[in-house]
Amino acid sequence: AGGAAGAVASALGDEHAFPDRLREEIEAIVHRHTPGWRVKVTSPNIAERAVCAWLGGSILGSLGTFRDMWISKKDYEEFGPAIVN
């Protein structure tokens, strides 16, 4: 792989290495409070990762409560970027 995709791939390493590393780091935190608990990390395959943001946005947008989280242009103009947090 070359270019930006190659740089990202080499930064993340093997596609299985990141979920394994994440699991190990989370287990280290969890074991401080609950020794012996196991953590399972699931990760979509490379093909599915390309659409994860769209899928998440679709799910979020379909929630009935999502409309309550909207920020109007008027509110944004009045309060600025701080309203987002």
Side-chain angles (χ1 to χ4, degrees):
V8 170
S10 64
L12 294 177
D14 178 354
E15 76 177 78
H16 300 290
F18 181 72
D20 290 342
R21 189 178 118 215
L22 182 62
R23 180 191 49 75
E24 290 169 4
E25 291 181 12
I26 292 173
E27 277 186 348
I29 295 167
V30 168
H31 287 168
R32 290 183 207 146
H33 305 284
T34 51
W37 278 29
R38 297 214 38 205
V39 173
K40 181 177 182 180
V41 174
T42 58
S43 176
N45 66 39
I46 290 290
E48 292 171 334
R49 288 181 198 168
V51 297
C52 283
W54 291 101
L55 180 60
S58 172
I59 293 168
L60 183 63
S62 69
L63 296 174
T65 57
F66 183 60
R67 189 175 285 269
D68 298 335
M69 294 182 249
W70 288 4
I71 299 169
S72 71
K73 180 179 179 182
K74 179 182 172 211
D75 287 342
Y76 187 85
E77 288 172 347
E78 181 177 344
F79 300 104
I83 195 170
V84 176
N85 295 325

PDB file of all heavy atoms in Angstrom, residues 61-76:
ATOM      1  N   GLY A  61     -29.522   9.398  13.252  1.00  0.00           N
ATOM      2  CA  GLY A  61     -30.567  10.202  12.623  1.00  0.00           C
ATOM      3  C   GLY A  61     -31.942   9.576  12.703  1.00  0.00           C
ATOM      4  O   GLY A  61     -32.960  10.278  12.671  1.00  0.00           O
ATOM      5  N   SER A  62     -32.016   8.263  12.847  1.00  0.00           N
ATOM      6  CA  SER A  62     -33.309   7.590  12.909  1.00  0.00           C
ATOM      7  C   SER A  62     -33.894   7.546  14.318  1.00  0.00           C
ATOM      8  O   SER A  62     -35.052   7.189  14.498  1.00  0.00           O
ATOM      9  CB  SER A  62     -33.195   6.165  12.350  1.00  0.00           C
ATOM     10  OG  SER A  62     -32.429   5.355  13.224  1.00  0.00           O
ATOM     11  N   LEU A  63     -33.104   7.925  15.327  1.00  0.00           N
ATOM     12  CA  LEU A  63     -33.614   7.932  16.696  1.00  0.00           C
ATOM     13  C   LEU A  63     -34.634   9.055  16.879  1.00  0.00           C
ATOM     14  O   LEU A  63     -34.421  10.174  16.442  1.00  0.00           O
ATOM     15  CB  LEU A  63     -32.471   8.142  17.701  1.00  0.00           C
ATOM     16  CG  LEU A  63     -31.411   7.057  17.770  1.00  0.00           C
ATOM     17  CD1 LEU A  63     -30.290   7.498  18.716  1.00  0.00           C
ATOM     18  CD2 LEU A  63     -32.013   5.746  18.241  1.00  0.00           C
ATOM     19  N   GLY A  64     -35.718   8.748  17.537  1.00  0.00           N
ATOM     20  CA  GLY A  64     -36.745   9.751  17.781  1.00  0.00           C
ATOM     21  C   GLY A  64     -36.250  10.898  18.637  1.00  0.00           C
ATOM     22  O   GLY A  64     -36.725  12.029  18.515  1.00  0.00           O
ATOM     23  N   THR A  65     -35.276  10.652  19.489  1.00  0.00           N
ATOM     24  CA  THR A  65     -34.759  11.683  20.385  1.00  0.00           C
ATOM     25  C   THR A  65     -33.663  12.534  19.750  1.00  0.00           C
ATOM     26  O   THR A  65     -33.227  13.508  20.346  1.00  0.00           O
ATOM     27  CB  THR A  65     -34.195  11.042  21.664  1.00  0.00           C
ATOM     28  OG1 THR A  65     -33.188  10.090  21.295  1.00  0.00           O
ATOM     29  CG2 THR A  65     -35.281  10.362  22.470  1.00  0.00           C
ATOM     30  N   PHE A  66     -33.235  12.177  18.547  1.00  0.00           N
ATOM     31  CA  PHE A  66     -32.142  12.914  17.915  1.00  0.00           C
ATOM     32  C   PHE A  66     -32.518  14.363  17.651  1.00  0.00           C
ATOM     33  O   PHE A  66     -31.699  15.262  17.810  1.00  0.00           O
ATOM     34  CB  PHE A  66     -31.705  12.221  16.626  1.00  0.00           C
ATOM     35  CG  PHE A  66     -30.537  12.891  15.946  1.00  0.00           C
ATOM     36  CD1 PHE A  66     -29.326  13.033  16.593  1.00  0.00           C
ATOM     37  CD2 PHE A  66     -30.662  13.397  14.666  1.00  0.00           C
ATOM     38  CE1 PHE A  66     -28.246  13.659  15.980  1.00  0.00           C
ATOM     39  CE2 PHE A  66     -29.587  14.020  14.042  1.00  0.00           C
ATOM     40  CZ  PHE A  66     -28.385  14.146  14.704  1.00  0.00           C
ATOM     41  N   ARG A  67     -33.756  14.614  17.308  1.00  0.00           N
ATOM     42  CA  ARG A  67     -34.206  15.978  17.008  1.00  0.00           C
ATOM     43  C   ARG A  67     -34.015  16.890  18.230  1.00  0.00           C
ATOM     44  O   ARG A  67     -33.737  18.082  18.091  1.00  0.00           O
ATOM     45  CB  ARG A  67     -35.665  15.967  16.565  1.00  0.00           C
ATOM     46  CG  ARG A  67     -36.154  17.288  16.035  1.00  0.00           C
ATOM     47  CD  ARG A  67     -37.572  17.189  15.494  1.00  0.00           C
ATOM     48  NE  ARG A  67     -37.648  16.532  14.213  1.00  0.00           N
ATOM     49  CZ  ARG A  67     -37.584  17.162  13.040  1.00  0.00           C
ATOM     50  NH1 ARG A  67     -37.415  18.453  13.014  1.00  0.00           N
ATOM     51  NH2 ARG A  67     -37.675  16.511  11.913  1.00  0.00           N
ATOM     52  N   ASP A  68     -34.112  16.332  19.439  1.00  0.00           N
ATOM     53  CA  ASP A  68     -33.916  17.118  20.660  1.00  0.00           C
ATOM     54  C   ASP A  68     -32.472  17.597  20.805  1.00  0.00           C
ATOM     55  O   ASP A  68     -32.200  18.534  21.558  1.00  0.00           O
ATOM     56  CB  ASP A  68     -34.292  16.299  21.902  1.00  0.00           C
ATOM     57  CG  ASP A  68     -35.749  15.879  21.906  1.00  0.00           C
ATOM     58  OD1 ASP A  68     -36.566  16.563  21.257  1.00  0.00           O
ATOM     59  OD2 ASP A  68     -36.061  14.868  22.554  1.00  0.00           O
ATOM     60  N   MET A  69     -31.547  16.943  20.120  1.00  0.00           N
ATOM     61  CA  MET A  69     -30.131  17.294  20.226  1.00  0.00           C
ATOM     62  C   MET A  69     -29.687  18.314  19.183  1.00  0.00           C
ATOM     63  O   MET A  69     -28.557  18.782  19.219  1.00  0.00           O
ATOM     64  CB  MET A  69     -29.274  16.027  20.071  1.00  0.00           C
ATOM     65  CG  MET A  69     -29.453  15.027  21.184  1.00  0.00           C
ATOM     66  SD  MET A  69     -28.368  13.634  20.937  1.00  0.00           S
ATOM     67  CE  MET A  69     -29.555  12.360  20.553  1.00  0.00           C
ATOM     68  N   TRP A  70     -30.556  18.665  18.266  1.00  0.00           N
ATOM     69  CA  TRP A  70     -30.189  19.608  17.217  1.00  0.00           C
ATOM     70  C   TRP A  70     -29.852  20.971  17.797  1.00  0.00           C
ATOM     71  O   TRP A  70     -30.433  21.410  18.795  1.00  0.00           O
ATOM     72  CB  TRP A  70     -31.332  19.776  16.219  1.00  0.00           C
ATOM     73  CG  TRP A  70     -31.557  18.601  15.333  1.00  0.00           C
ATOM     74  CD1 TRP A  70     -30.920  17.404  15.360  1.00  0.00           C
ATOM     75  CD2 TRP A  70     -32.526  18.520  14.294  1.00  0.00           C
ATOM     76  NE1 TRP A  70     -31.424  16.579  14.395  1.00  0.00           N
ATOM     77  CE2 TRP A  70     -32.417  17.235  13.722  1.00  0.00           C
ATOM     78  CE3 TRP A  70     -33.476  19.382  13.785  1.00  0.00           C
ATOM     79  CZ2 TRP A  70     -33.213  16.815  12.674  1.00  0.00           C
ATOM     80  CZ3 TRP A  70     -34.261  18.964  12.742  1.00  0.00           C
ATOM     81  CH2 TRP A  70     -34.121  17.692  12.191  1.00  0.00           C
ATOM     82  N   ILE A  71     -28.935  21.659  17.151  1.00  0.00           N
ATOM     83  CA  ILE A  71     -28.587  23.034  17.510  1.00  0.00           C
ATOM     84  C   ILE A  71     -28.982  23.901  16.323  1.00  0.00           C
ATOM     85  O   ILE A  71     -28.508  23.690  15.208  1.00  0.00           O
ATOM     86  CB  ILE A  71     -27.078  23.168  17.796  1.00  0.00           C
ATOM     87  CG1 ILE A  71     -26.690  22.269  18.962  1.00  0.00           C
ATOM     88  CG2 ILE A  71     -26.709  24.622  18.053  1.00  0.00           C
ATOM     89  CD1 ILE A  71     -25.201  22.121  19.149  1.00  0.00           C
ATOM     90  N   SER A  72     -29.842  24.854  16.578  1.00  0.00           N
ATOM     91  CA  SER A  72     -30.296  25.717  15.482  1.00  0.00           C
ATOM     92  C   SER A  72     -29.196  26.703  15.090  1.00  0.00           C
ATOM     93  O   SER A  72     -28.289  27.013  15.881  1.00  0.00           O
ATOM     94  CB  SER A  72     -31.554  26.488  15.894  1.00  0.00           C
ATOM     95  OG  SER A  72     -31.226  27.483  16.852  1.00  0.00           O
ATOM     96  N   LYS A  73     -29.286  27.206  13.881  1.00  0.00           N
ATOM     97  CA  LYS A  73     -28.326  28.200  13.416  1.00  0.00           C
ATOM     98  C   LYS A  73     -28.402  29.446  14.301  1.00  0.00           C
ATOM     99  O   LYS A  73     -27.381  30.025  14.667  1.00  0.00           O
ATOM    100  CB  LYS A  73     -28.618  28.569  11.961  1.00  0.00           C
ATOM    101  CG  LYS A  73     -27.663  29.593  11.408  1.00  0.00           C
ATOM    102  CD  LYS A  73     -27.961  29.911   9.953  1.00  0.00           C
ATOM    103  CE  LYS A  73     -26.990  30.966   9.451  1.00  0.00           C
ATOM    104  NZ  LYS A  73     -27.251  31.362   8.082  1.00  0.00           N
ATOM    105  N   LYS A  74     -29.624  29.812  14.699  1.00  0.00           N
ATOM    106  CA  LYS A  74     -29.821  30.979  15.560  1.00  0.00           C
ATOM    107  C   LYS A  74     -29.088  30.792  16.897  1.00  0.00           C
ATOM    108  O   LYS A  74     -28.393  31.681  17.367  1.00  0.00           O
ATOM    109  CB  LYS A  74     -31.315  31.202  15.798  1.00  0.00           C
ATOM    110  CG  LYS A  74     -31.628  32.368  16.688  1.00  0.00           C
ATOM    111  CD  LYS A  74     -33.131  32.484  16.907  1.00  0.00           C
ATOM    112  CE  LYS A  74     -33.387  33.539  17.965  1.00  0.00           C
ATOM    113  NZ  LYS A  74     -34.561  33.265  18.749  1.00  0.00           N
ATOM    114  N   ASP A  75     -29.248  29.605  17.515  1.00  0.00           N
ATOM    115  CA  ASP A  75     -28.565  29.333  18.788  1.00  0.00           C
ATOM    116  C   ASP A  75     -27.053  29.327  18.613  1.00  0.00           C
ATOM    117  O   ASP A  75     -26.313  29.841  19.459  1.00  0.00           O
ATOM    118  CB  ASP A  75     -29.021  27.996  19.377  1.00  0.00           C
ATOM    119  CG  ASP A  75     -30.430  28.058  19.939  1.00  0.00           C
ATOM    120  OD1 ASP A  75     -30.928  29.169  20.198  1.00  0.00           O
ATOM    121  OD2 ASP A  75     -31.036  26.977  20.116  1.00  0.00           O
ATOM    122  N   TYR A  76     -26.577  28.737  17.509  1.00  0.00           N
ATOM    123  CA  TYR A  76     -25.139  28.693  17.260  1.00  0.00           C
ATOM    124  C   TYR A  76     -24.583  30.105  17.093  1.00  0.00           C
ATOM    125  O   TYR A  76     -23.529  30.429  17.618  1.00  0.00           O
ATOM    126  CB  TYR A  76     -24.829  27.842  16.032  1.00  0.00           C
ATOM    127  CG  TYR A  76     -23.342  27.637  15.838  1.00  0.00           C
ATOM    128  CD1 TYR A  76     -22.669  26.626  16.505  1.00  0.00           C
ATOM    129  CD2 TYR A  76     -22.613  28.477  15.004  1.00  0.00           C
ATOM    130  CE1 TYR A  76     -21.305  26.443  16.350  1.00  0.00           C
ATOM    131  CE2 TYR A  76     -21.246  28.306  14.836  1.00  0.00           C
ATOM    132  CZ  TYR A  76     -20.600  27.281  15.504  1.00  0.00           C
ATOM    133  OH  TYR A  76     -19.251  27.114  15.359  1.00  0.00           O
TER     134      TYR A  76
END
